[in-house]
Structure formats: C-alpha cells, structure tokens
Amino acid sequence: MVAERIPALKKTDAEEGTSPRRKGGKLLWIVFVLFAIVMIVLFFRSSLSRISSVQVTGTVHLSADEVLKAAGVREGESFFFPSAKELERRIETLKAVQSVKVDKRFPGKVEIAVKEYAEVAVELDTSGKTRIVLSNGLSVPASGALPDKPILTGWKEGDERRNALCRALEGLPESLLRDLSQIAPDPSTAYPDRIRIYTRSRFEVVTTVERLPEKAALLSEIVENREPGRVVLLEADTYQPFSAQNAPSSGDS
C-alpha cells in the first residue's frame, strides 16, 4: 500500500520567530529614519541654517570688515559651521586682537565681541606720521584725536625691550601713564634696559624697563607730592629737586 504524501505545512510567523507586530515595528523604524534624513536635508537647505546677521563690537583700530574677513563668515553662509571656537581662533590671528568671544544665537545670529590690545604710547614712524602703540608693541595708524599717552623716541619697532616696555606701560596706573610725556632708551653696561622718562609734571626719571612696574607706586607718590626734580629708580632710589641742583653753593657770593 502506497503511503499518501501529505504536503508540508507552511511555517507560521510564530514558528519562524517573527510576528506581524515585529515586522510592522521594523518597517515603522525605517520610515522614521528616512523621514528624519529628508527633514535634515531640507533644514540644511533652508534659510534657518544660514547666518542672517553678524554683529561685530569692541573694535577700535580694526574695522568690522577686517574681523569678518579673518573669521571667514558672511550673511547667508552656514550658521553651524565652522564652530564658534574655530571662528575665535581665526580672529585671534589678527595682531591687534587680545581676545575675542563669538556667540551664536539661533536662528542665524552671530555676535563677535573683540577686545583689542590697550593703547599705551604714541610714536612717529620713519615718514613722520603719528602712530599709536598698543600694549603688545604693535604700531597702528592714528586716526582722530591722539590718546593722552607718552611719546616713544629712539626705539626700533620689533625691539624686544620696546615690546617689554609696552607691556609694562599697560600695568601702570592711568593717572601716572597720562603724566608720562616721553620715554627713550638709555642703556648702560650695568643696565641694558635702562630708560629715561620725562613727565608732564616736569620730572626726569631714570629707571629700567624691568623695574618700572615695581617702582610705579613710588614714582606716583613722588610726582604727586614733590616739586619737580630728578628721580633715579634703580638698585637705590634717589630724588633731588631741580631747585636744589640750581641753588648756589655756600662759597658763591
């Protein structure tokens, strides 16, 4: 007797380890991912992902265009790239910039706050034009009224002692800095960084670039409370009024 062949039964979803619910969830996840990708593409192609305005503040000797050129940003460009930190790094390559803060505000607003090096002195260039000297030693063209700062004479731009002097001047009290009228190098064998200072209050001061910050308080006290004279601020500090230097000796008659 020939055994009857029984057709094999099709495995159910449960036997295959899947269920209609699981298949539906996987399909829904694929649809969601595709939808998210489409939305992201549309967003980055829309105006919402673009810079709508750029504001630059704090510039004195730099123009807003110079800052924007260094940053490499313009209205209509990507808001998200490059990052704020990268923009700050680019702007800090400008020699007049001491620090910068970039703030991105969605949607589309970029705010750039620049802090330039402080003005500490004035000098004449080789062509006789007046330039303003910043605390990092950078010399920039003067525009408008000149600041009430000392004039540097006899210095070469790029001289490290000149740059050190500019850094020292930044730390002086503003009242003392305004009183300094002229600063010139006066090196000696013992003091290669010696300087000679003339003040608007008619004092002559001899000190060094290195000692100037630590002697500032004493110098302020002298010029504010003594009659004009010669002040030496080196290893030993001395003060002699000009009236004593010009006074006739006891033997004169």
Side-chain angles (χ1 to χ4, degrees), residues 169-178 216-217 220:
L169 292 176
E170 183 183 21
L172 297 185
E174 187 61 29
S175 59
L176 177 60
L177 186 60
R178 286 197 304 267
S220 293

Side-chain angles (χ1 to χ4, degrees), residues 18 36 50 59 84 89 99 116 125 129 142 151-152 164 201 244 252:
T18 60
R50 302 292 171 181
T59 55
R89 186 193 67 78
S99 63
E116 297 183 10
D125 62 18
K129 293 183 179 179
I151 299 174
L152 302 186
S201 51
D252 295 339

Side-chain angles (χ1 to χ4, degrees), residues 119-125 129-134 138-142 145-155 162 165-166 169 177 180-183 200:
E119 299 175 348
V120 295
V122 176
E123 67 181 1
L124 299 178
D125 62 18
K129 293 183 179 179
T130 305
R131 299 178 69 84
I132 295 174
V133 184
L134 306 184
L138 180 65
S139 177
V140 297
L146 293 177
D148 203 7
K149 308 295 181 184
I151 299 174
L152 302 186
T153 59
W155 298 90
R162 172 185 174 277
L165 171 63
C166 293
L169 292 176
L177 186 60
L180 307 185
S181 64
Q182 182 181 347
I183 306 175
R200 292 179 172 86

